[in-house]
């Protein structure tokens, strides 16, 4: 069995296992299996920088092994993976013995764990109820290094290695811009060791992976691996081309200690020219620490680098010394770990969905897996290019990420986990629903089915037509749309109004009452406003607001149908693209037939009294978005992209077509593609259509 297979079977077998109820003989068997598998993973992670499973999966297995060792202390071995801090140094680098070991940190997974740790510190120090000052710092997801300075000059850089012996990476750390080659300021000790984290910013990581992909190289799974891989290159000229960064967070052995507190040490480090993280905070007691942790966890996507938790440290150095260490971690510090947001799982299949505009969206069918407390079995693959560029194949083990409220995404394959049986994925060239050859517009990444008779497009259109923002036919959702279309009961939108209760009774899940209710909802929809009907027709680029704007200038469907593109462009907020799209729609024979049919079944085709667009009325000179650069991506619930963009402009903002560091925020809708992932990588806030509307209307009041 491969390592991954053995790991998966261990994960399954140990789920819900009650360690305390096992016999020692059985326990020995488990410990041996866990030890072998975990040691192999640790080697891949620490020594090869090429992990097969996510950190969270590794931690979960380590946790089980710890439970065994706690229950059966005799089974605990000196070289157990639970005691391991890192990997023995690679032979290629010169070895460096650390004058003081580089320790690891104990973990806390809840604020309750933090409070318990704080109480333990107080008890050990016998300070009674007195408060202990704490420093809280983001836990940077990079690689620990120790930098030695003599007479202010950088003489050595070393990795942590196994905590006692590291690798000499002096030539490589010299290439990092935020590592000072010479310390500035006064009071620099004759000899000092500075410890901190080497990391990749999201933007730099992105840039590097893009370059590696273009050059046919293998991209890194995450910024941590990229940092580790880049620091341990034997040719420092290559490291120099990799924009690494460094945050200083501690001092190792020094000829003189320039402060009596940890916060004082950080000040000294800053004054000597190091970058110290801006989010470091000093707390007089534990009271405000949980909300600091929560705040940082909520805002982690806004940072330009990955963090995986908060490190809490006792501030006074004398108290740190008094507390001392346990085997491989200090008692005076602890890591509060955020919920994991990334894991690996099997990509069982890639399916392609057809939207109401004919847009193709590939979707990953995943072996269900828990991420941050939610079971994920589907994830977006954005578009065909995304899959090709990352070489994602059905049957691959893939990294899946779920951040905030954004739909889960497949980040890429774990290439090392391949068996050789995975074939590259071939995107369809024809619509999977109707067989029409797919087309792609110049400059767009998406492919479309352009058929007017595509059954799947019709199902999605029907769903849209009945949706809350359109005709609001309660009970007619995605599932019923499929049933109605498949049963041949609804072939055109107007057929909805010819449905009778008896027709519905033949469908799965319909009893008399439910059928009656639906028919009533359909009857009521005949009186729907003109703008809702217009929106419900699913005309490309016509979202809810454009529909409202158009209806404020044209009082009937007939008037709209007779308008020229020039007439339409007269309307405030309607540009050439929208005007053209509306005009084209009304010119089509099948659409004219549809409108006649809707009229025949009694659907309202005129502007109702009091039907007034809300947003446009109070736009005025409101500048709620002044100075903001906004990118809109994905299918928004009610606005078309053009509408959202014209709203942004009307409220003083600017729009851009691609996400960069200058983007203020990204408005994301369904099936958001690479722009959303780019935003996530750059830490740019992502908001919903409703958030955007709130921003505008709140300011307007
Ligand atoms: S202090 C003895 N502070 O987390 C305490 N570590 O799991 C040594 N890390 O090896 C570490 N950010 O690589 C400290 N602000 C921070 C940190 C930090 C990231 C890493 C570091 C360490 C690991 C422990």
């Amino acid at each position: 069995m491969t390592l991954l297979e053995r790991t998966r079977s261990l994960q399954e077998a140990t789920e819900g296992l009650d360690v305390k109820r096992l016999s020692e003989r059985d326990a020995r068997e488990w410990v041996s299996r866990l030890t072998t598998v975990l040691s192999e993973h640790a080697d891949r992670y620490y020594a090869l920088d090429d992990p097969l499973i996510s950190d969270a999966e590794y931690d979960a297995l380590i946790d089980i092994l710890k439970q065994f060792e706690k229950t059966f202390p005799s089974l605990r071995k000196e070289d157990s993976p639970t005691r391991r801090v890192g990997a023995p140094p690679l032979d290629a680098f010169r070895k460096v013995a650390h004058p003081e070991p580089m320790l690891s940190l104990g973990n806390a997974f809840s604020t309750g764990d933090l409070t318990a740790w704080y109480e333990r510190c107080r008890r050990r120090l016998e300070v009674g109820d007195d408060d202990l000052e704490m420093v809280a710092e983001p836990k940077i997801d990079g690689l620990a290094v120790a930098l030695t300075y003599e007479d202010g000059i950088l003489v050595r850089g070393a990795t942590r290695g196994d905590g006692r012996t590291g690798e000499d990476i002096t030539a490589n750390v010299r290439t990092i811009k935020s590592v000072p080659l010479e310390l500035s300021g006064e009071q620099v000790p004759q000899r000092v060791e500075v410890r901190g984290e080497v990391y990749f910013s999201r933007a730099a990581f992105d840039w590097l992976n893009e370059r590696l992909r273009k050059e046919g190289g293998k991209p890194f799974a995450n910024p941590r691996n990229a940092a580790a891989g880049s620091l341990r290159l034997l040719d420092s000229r290559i490291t120099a081309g990799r924009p690494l960064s460094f945050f200083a967070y501690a001092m190792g052995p020094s000829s003189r200690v320039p402060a009596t507190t940890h916060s004082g040490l950080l000040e000294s480090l800053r004054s000597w020219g190091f970058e110290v993280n801006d989010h470091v905070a000093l707390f007089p007691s534990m009271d405000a620490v949980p909300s600091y942790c929560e705040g940082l966890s909520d805002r982690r996507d806004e940072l330009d680098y990955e963090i995986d938790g908060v490190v809490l440290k006792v501030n006074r150095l004398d108290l740190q010394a008094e507390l001392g260490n346990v085997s491989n971690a200090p008692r005076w510090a602890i890591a509060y770990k955020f919920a994991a947001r990334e894991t690996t799982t099997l990509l069982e299949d890639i399916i392609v969905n057809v939207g109401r505009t004919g847009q193709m969206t590939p979707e990953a069918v995943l072996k269900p897996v828990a991420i941050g407390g939610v079971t994920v079995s589907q994830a977006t693959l954005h578009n065909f290019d995304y899959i090709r560029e990352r070489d994602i194949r059905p049957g691959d083990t893939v990294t899946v990420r779920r951040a905030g409220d954004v739909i889960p995404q497949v980040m890429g394959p774990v290439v090392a986990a391949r068996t050789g049986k995975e074939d590259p994925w071939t995107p369809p060239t024809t619509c999977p629903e109707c067989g029409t050859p797919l087309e792609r517009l110049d400059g767009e990444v998406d492919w479309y089915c352009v058929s007017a008779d595509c059954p799947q497009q019709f199902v999605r259109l029907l769903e849209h037509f009945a949706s809350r923002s359109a005709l609001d036919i309660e009970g007619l959702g995605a599932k019923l749309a499929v049933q109605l279309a498949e049963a041949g009961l609804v072939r055109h939108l107007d057929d909805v109004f010819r449905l009778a209760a008896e027709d519905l009774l033949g469908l799965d899940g319909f009893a008399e009452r439910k059928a009656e209710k639906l028919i009533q909802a359909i009857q009521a929809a005949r009186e729907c406003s003109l703008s809702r009907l217009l929106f419900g027709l699913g005309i490309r680029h016509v979202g809810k607001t454009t529909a409202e704007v158009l209806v404020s200038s044209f009082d009937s469907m007939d008037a709209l149908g007779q308008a020229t593109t020039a007439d339409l462009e007269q309307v405030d907020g309607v540009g050439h693209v929208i005007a053209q799209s509306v005009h084209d729609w009304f010119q089509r024979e099948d659409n004219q037939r549809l409108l006649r049919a809707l009229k025949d079944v009694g659907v309202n085709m005129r502007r109702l009294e009091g039907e007034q667009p809300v947003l446009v009325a109070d736009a005025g000179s409101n500048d709620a978005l002044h100075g903001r650069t906004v990118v809109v991506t994905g299918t928004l619930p009610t606005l078309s992209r053009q509408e959202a963009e014209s709203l942004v402009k009307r409220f003083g903002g600017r729009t851009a077509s691609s996400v960069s560091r200058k983007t203020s925020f990204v408005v994301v809708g369904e099936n958001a593609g690479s722009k959303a992932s780019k935003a996530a990588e750059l830490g740019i806030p992502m908001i919903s259509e409703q958030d955007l509307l709130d921003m505008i209307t709140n300011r307007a009041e």
Side-chain angles (χ1 to χ4, degrees), residues 115-134 284-286 316 319 322-323:
T115 321
W117 166 79
Y118 188 71
E119 290 307 326
R120 283 200 299 278
C121 289
R122 284 215 289 212
R123 235 178 296 129
R124 267 191 175 265
L125 294 169
E126 296 178 352
V127 293
D129 287 340
D130 287 353
D131 288 328
L132 283 175
E133 252 186 6
M134 295 282 142
S285 73
M286 197 64 183
R316 270 171 54 182
L319 298 182
E322 205 175 320
L323 284 165

Side-chain angles (χ1 to χ4, degrees), residues 103-105 137-140 143-144 160 197 249 311 313 330 332-333:
L103 300 175
S104 173
L105 290 172
E137 308 175 359
K139 186 171 186 302
I140 315 294
L143 202 77
R160 182 168 68 171
E197 200 85 351
Y249 56 60
V311 183
K313 302 173 181 175
W332 48 267

Side-chain angles (χ1 to χ4, degrees), residues 348-550:
E348 290 177 340
D349 200 2
I350 297 176
I351 56 170
V352 176
N353 292 320
V354 184
R356 90 180 130 82
T357 57
Q359 185 183 333
M360 299 291 136
T361 354
E363 184 181 291
V365 180
L366 301 170
K367 178 155 187 247
V369 65
I371 314 179
V374 175
T375 301
V376 172
S377 56
Q378 292 167 322
T380 177
L381 284 160
H382 304 299
N383 53 58
F384 298 168
D385 284 2
Y386 186 88
I387 302 174
R388 182 175 43 79
E389 282 163 10
R390 282 166 181 73
D391 189 20
I392 298 169
R393 309 177 178 188
D396 264 339
T397 296
V398 290
T399 309
V400 184
R401 188 183 172 90
R402 185 185 146 259
D405 294 333
V406 184
I407 332 165
Q409 312 180 44
V410 171
M411 305 306 289
V414 180
V415 175
R418 283 197 175 141
T419 61
K421 291 197 195 114
E422 305 80 3
D423 289 324
W425 185 68
T426 323
T429 51
T430 56
C431 174
E433 301 288 342
C434 70
T436 308
L438 300 181
E439 287 182 22
R440 159 155 134 153
L441 300 177
D442 273 352
E444 280 203 24
V445 286
D446 292 310
W447 290 84
Y448 287 89
C449 165
V450 293
S451 162
D453 304 313
C454 174
Q456 183 61 18
Q457 277 183 58
F458 179 70
V459 167
R460 299 299 299 267
L461 174 63
L462 179 56
E463 188 188 336
H464 169 77
F465 184 69
S467 70
R468 186 177 274 177
S469 303
L471 271 71
D472 194 18
I473 304 176
E474 207 181 322
L476 208 178
K479 189 172 157 223
L480 183 57
V482 175
Q483 286 178 299
L484 291 173
E486 276 178 0
L489 289 168
V490 177
R491 292 203 161 87
H492 303 281
L493 293 178
D494 51 283
D495 294 336
V496 170
F497 297 96
R498 293 197 194 85
L499 284 172
E502 304 85 76
D503 298 330
L504 299 169
L505 290 176
L507 298 176
D508 190 28
F510 266 90
E512 218 156 292
R513 235 181 90 77
K514 190 170 163 194
E516 286 297 340
K517 253 181 101 178
L518 182 67
I519 298 298
Q520 273 170 19
I522 292 172
Q523 300 300 351
R526 285 197 166 94
E527 301 306 318
C528 126
S529 70
L530 183 59
S531 62
R532 278 169 173 270
L533 175 64
L534 187 60
F535 170 60
L537 294 173
I539 303 172
R540 227 168 152 192
H541 305 310
V542 179
K544 203 167 158 61
T545 308
T546 299
E548 287 172 354
V549 171
L550 286 168

